[in-house]
Amino acid sequence: MLGIETSCDETAAAIVVRDQSGRGSIRSNVVRSQLDEHAAFGGVVPELAARAHVTYLDHIIAQACREAGIALADVDAVTATAGPGLIGGVLVGLTTAKAVAAALNKPLIAVNHLEGHALTARLTDQVPFPYLMLLVSGGHSQFVLVRGVGDYERWGTTIDDALGEAFDKVAKLLSLGHPGGPAVEHIAKGGDPKRFRFPRPLLREARLDFSFSGLKTAVRLQAEALAPLGDQDVADIAASFQAAVAEIIAVRSRQALEQFAGLFPGEPIRLVVAGGVAANRTIAAALEHVCAESDASLVVPPIALCTDNGAMIAWAGAERFALGAKDGLDFTARPRWPLDLDDMKVATHGS
Ligand code: KG4
Ligand code: ZN
């Protein structure tokens, strides 16, 4: 399976094999990050992202085939992210996949980017259904119940900023550069997480939603009140922000795991984490703690597979393909595409 991912600022292609028993293996996974293109702007510029995908995607696909030791014509099917994401980039990847599929006369599988994240743990750890996924990236913060391929239930989401976005904005206002997550984590190591008590928005409410915009504003107001900021102030703000976020994630995850246990009595409780924020050690430690308390097993795929990549798309495509899914060349790219729409269900053709 060839997998193509272009929904944000990574141009990625991979070759993944799924064997008869359902086990996957990655033959190649080439990711070209566009960090340099966007660095000067402090965030991803959609038009620049789309242009860079156009420039690099065919080379990345060729490299993925080369590294896997196969010819493009050897693939059984072609998969690409068809949404959600920055529409210019999604169009580049999906249109390229359609062209390859048409030229080689191979089936096309259009994949929901979130499904790619959701199923990665089955590629890396053969996690059986059902399980709970916490996706925390630059564009998403949500809990998803994964019942099966194409069968998802969103249990909570952010009502404003995504968690990675909050990290990026806090980094920007502390002049730490982009992407902000790793920079905030690094500087927070020398900071006092208890110096500032930042708000934990929505936490008193029972629903599993997140809100990070008020927290970000509280950080901004604190930074403005202390300006000019010394190095220790920056470290303390970063550490206090990270502590607030880790507590929010811990509390919500505990609730979500309780809900899972109630729904599937006697089933093993499994939490799978995806998205770039999974790289954060403070958040990961909080999740380890919650899972130990809740008698749940925690699965965190290697970080290169938690962030955007082609292998996760190829794998989701392979899982769908194995169930008989196939999409038409008229499949339209979607800027928005919630995972729990009915059209995620695997539609088999000819039956
Ligand atoms: O999954 P990802 O690579 O891309 C998508 O958004 O789809 O996630 C990127 C996000 C960025 O917002 C970045 O700041 C955040 O993940 N991130 C982190 C860390 N590493 C990356 N956030 C907190 N701590 C980190 N160590
Ligand atoms: Zn993603």
Tab-separated table of all heavy atoms in Angstrom, residues 113 137-139 164-165 167-168 179-182 185 275-277 279-280 306-308, ligand 1:
chain	number	residue	atom	x	y	z
A	113	HIS	N	-7.656	11.595	7.800
A	113	HIS	CA	-6.391	11.769	8.521
A	113	HIS	C	-6.500	11.294	9.985
A	113	HIS	O	-5.573	10.688	10.529
A	113	HIS	CB	-6.016	13.252	8.465
A	113	HIS	CG	-4.778	13.624	9.192
A	113	HIS	ND1	-3.532	13.537	8.625
A	113	HIS	CD2	-4.579	14.081	10.454
A	113	HIS	CE1	-2.620	13.931	9.504
A	113	HIS	NE2	-3.231	14.266	10.625
A	137	SER	N	-2.781	17.032	18.995
A	137	SER	CA	-1.839	17.497	17.981
A	137	SER	C	-1.988	18.999	17.805
A	137	SER	O	-2.647	19.673	18.607
A	137	SER	CB	-2.115	16.771	16.666
A	137	SER	OG	-3.337	17.213	16.133
A	138	GLY	N	-1.389	19.516	16.720
A	138	GLY	CA	-1.499	20.946	16.464
A	138	GLY	C	-2.891	21.345	15.987
A	138	GLY	O	-3.286	22.504	16.097
A	139	GLY	N	-3.632	20.391	15.474
A	139	GLY	CA	-4.954	20.708	14.934
A	139	GLY	C	-6.107	20.084	15.696
A	139	GLY	O	-7.266	20.467	15.498
A	164	GLY	N	-1.761	21.359	20.932
A	164	GLY	CA	-0.492	21.724	20.297
A	164	GLY	C	-0.478	23.204	19.914
A	164	GLY	O	0.538	23.893	20.045
A	165	GLU	N	-1.642	23.677	19.477
A	165	GLU	CA	-1.792	25.094	19.112
A	165	GLU	C	-1.566	25.972	20.349
A	165	GLU	O	-0.923	27.023	20.267
A	165	GLU	CB	-3.217	25.256	18.575
A	165	GLU	CG	-3.542	26.540	17.897
A	165	GLU	CD	-5.023	26.535	17.449
A	165	GLU	OE1	-5.751	25.522	17.619
A	165	GLU	OE2	-5.443	27.588	16.935
A	167	PHE	N	0.296	25.217	22.942
A	167	PHE	CA	1.751	25.202	23.160
A	167	PHE	C	2.426	26.188	22.205
A	167	PHE	O	3.309	26.948	22.596
A	167	PHE	CB	2.323	23.792	22.928
A	167	PHE	CG	2.402	22.946	24.170
A	167	PHE	CD1	1.396	22.049	24.499
A	167	PHE	CD2	3.493	23.045	25.024
A	167	PHE	CE1	1.464	21.261	25.641
A	167	PHE	CE2	3.585	22.267	26.168
A	167	PHE	CZ	2.559	21.370	26.480
A	168	ASP	N	2.005	26.154	20.936
A	168	ASP	CA	2.634	27.019	19.929
A	168	ASP	C	2.393	28.495	20.242
A	168	ASP	O	3.289	29.329	20.094
A	168	ASP	CB	2.111	26.668	18.529
A	168	ASP	CG	2.537	25.267	18.091
A	168	ASP	OD1	3.545	24.760	18.633
A	168	ASP	OD2	1.866	24.678	17.234
A	179	PRO	N	8.232	25.078	15.937
A	179	PRO	CA	7.027	24.763	16.703
A	179	PRO	C	7.265	24.909	18.199
A	179	PRO	O	8.363	24.633	18.698
A	179	PRO	CB	6.741	23.312	16.333
A	179	PRO	CG	8.072	22.742	15.985
A	179	PRO	CD	8.886	23.878	15.419
A	180	GLY	N	6.219	25.318	18.881
A	180	GLY	CA	6.387	25.731	20.263
A	180	GLY	C	6.483	24.610	21.281
A	180	GLY	O	7.126	24.770	22.322
A	181	GLY	N	5.827	23.464	20.983
A	181	GLY	CA	5.771	22.394	21.982
A	181	GLY	C	7.133	21.997	22.537
A	181	GLY	O	7.377	22.076	23.749
A	182	PRO	N	8.048	21.579	21.653
A	182	PRO	CA	9.371	21.164	22.148
A	182	PRO	C	10.092	22.304	22.866
A	182	PRO	O	10.796	22.068	23.862
A	182	PRO	CB	10.114	20.759	20.869
A	182	PRO	CG	9.050	20.476	19.866
A	182	PRO	CD	7.884	21.343	20.205
A	185	GLU	N	8.578	22.767	26.351
A	185	GLU	CA	8.992	21.652	27.203
A	185	GLU	C	10.447	21.827	27.656
A	185	GLU	O	10.784	21.609	28.826
A	185	GLU	CB	8.822	20.318	26.475
A	185	GLU	CG	9.357	19.163	27.313
A	185	GLU	CD	8.938	17.786	26.806
A	185	GLU	OE1	8.698	17.624	25.601
A	185	GLU	OE2	8.871	16.874	27.652
A	275	GLY	N	-0.636	11.975	18.054
A	275	GLY	CA	-0.435	13.419	17.860
A	275	GLY	C	0.882	13.880	18.450
A	275	GLY	O	1.436	13.254	19.360
A	276	GLY	N	1.372	14.987	17.918
A	276	GLY	CA	2.703	15.476	18.277
A	276	GLY	C	2.897	15.763	19.758
A	276	GLY	O	3.997	15.607	20.301
A	277	VAL	N	1.816	16.159	20.458
A	277	VAL	CA	1.945	16.510	21.870
A	277	VAL	C	2.289	15.276	22.726
A	277	VAL	O	2.772	15.404	23.849
A	277	VAL	CB	0.667	17.225	22.383
A	277	VAL	CG1	0.813	17.689	23.810
A	277	VAL	CG2	0.327	18.426	21.490
A	279	ALA	N	4.686	13.621	22.492
A	279	ALA	CA	6.133	13.651	22.744
A	279	ALA	C	6.457	14.309	24.087
A	279	ALA	O	7.556	14.143	24.619
A	279	ALA	CB	6.836	14.430	21.633
A	280	ASN	N	5.506	15.038	24.646
A	280	ASN	CA	5.781	15.787	25.878
A	280	ASN	C	5.891	14.851	27.082
A	280	ASN	O	4.947	14.139	27.437
A	280	ASN	CB	4.659	16.813	26.088
A	280	ASN	CG	4.949	17.745	27.241
A	280	ASN	OD1	4.839	17.356	28.395
A	280	ASN	ND2	5.344	18.952	26.917
A	306	CYS	N	3.522	9.036	15.824
A	306	CYS	CA	2.464	9.837	16.468
A	306	CYS	C	2.255	11.128	15.699
A	306	CYS	O	1.154	11.669	15.635
A	306	CYS	CB	2.853	10.196	17.906
A	306	CYS	SG	2.623	8.862	19.072
A	307	THR	N	3.343	11.673	15.141
A	307	THR	CA	3.215	12.896	14.350
A	307	THR	C	2.843	12.495	12.917
A	307	THR	O	2.844	11.310	12.570
A	307	THR	CB	4.543	13.681	14.363
A	307	THR	OG1	5.575	12.816	13.904
A	307	THR	CG2	4.896	14.133	15.768
A	308	ASP	N	2.526	13.497	12.097
A	308	ASP	CA	1.994	13.186	10.773
A	308	ASP	C	3.017	12.455	9.909
A	308	ASP	O	4.185	12.834	9.853
A	308	ASP	CB	1.553	14.479	10.080
A	308	ASP	CG	0.332	15.076	10.767
A	308	ASP	OD1	-0.253	14.401	11.634
A	308	ASP	OD2	-0.026	16.204	10.423
B	1	KG4	O1	0.810	15.696	15.176
B	1	KG4	P1	1.625	16.875	14.809
B	1	KG4	O2	3.044	16.639	14.356
B	1	KG4	O3	0.982	17.688	13.652
B	1	KG4	C1	-0.368	17.982	13.584
B	1	KG4	O4	-0.759	18.990	14.189
B	1	KG4	O5	-1.114	17.224	12.925
B	1	KG4	O6	1.611	17.840	16.063
B	1	KG4	C2	2.320	19.042	16.072
B	1	KG4	C3	2.026	19.737	17.364
B	1	KG4	C4	2.606	21.143	17.412
B	1	KG4	O7	1.604	22.018	17.869
B	1	KG4	C5	3.750	21.018	18.398
B	1	KG4	O8	4.008	22.206	19.105
B	1	KG4	C6	3.259	19.917	19.317
B	1	KG4	O9	2.611	19.003	18.468
B	1	KG4	N1	4.364	19.264	20.016
B	1	KG4	C7	4.539	19.294	21.346
B	1	KG4	C8	5.773	18.632	21.610
B	1	KG4	N2	6.286	18.211	20.413
B	1	KG4	C9	5.411	18.607	19.450
B	1	KG4	N3	3.794	19.821	22.322
B	1	KG4	C10	4.247	19.697	23.574
B	1	KG4	N4	5.422	19.107	23.919
B	1	KG4	C11	6.220	18.557	22.964
B	1	KG4	N5	7.361	17.984	23.285
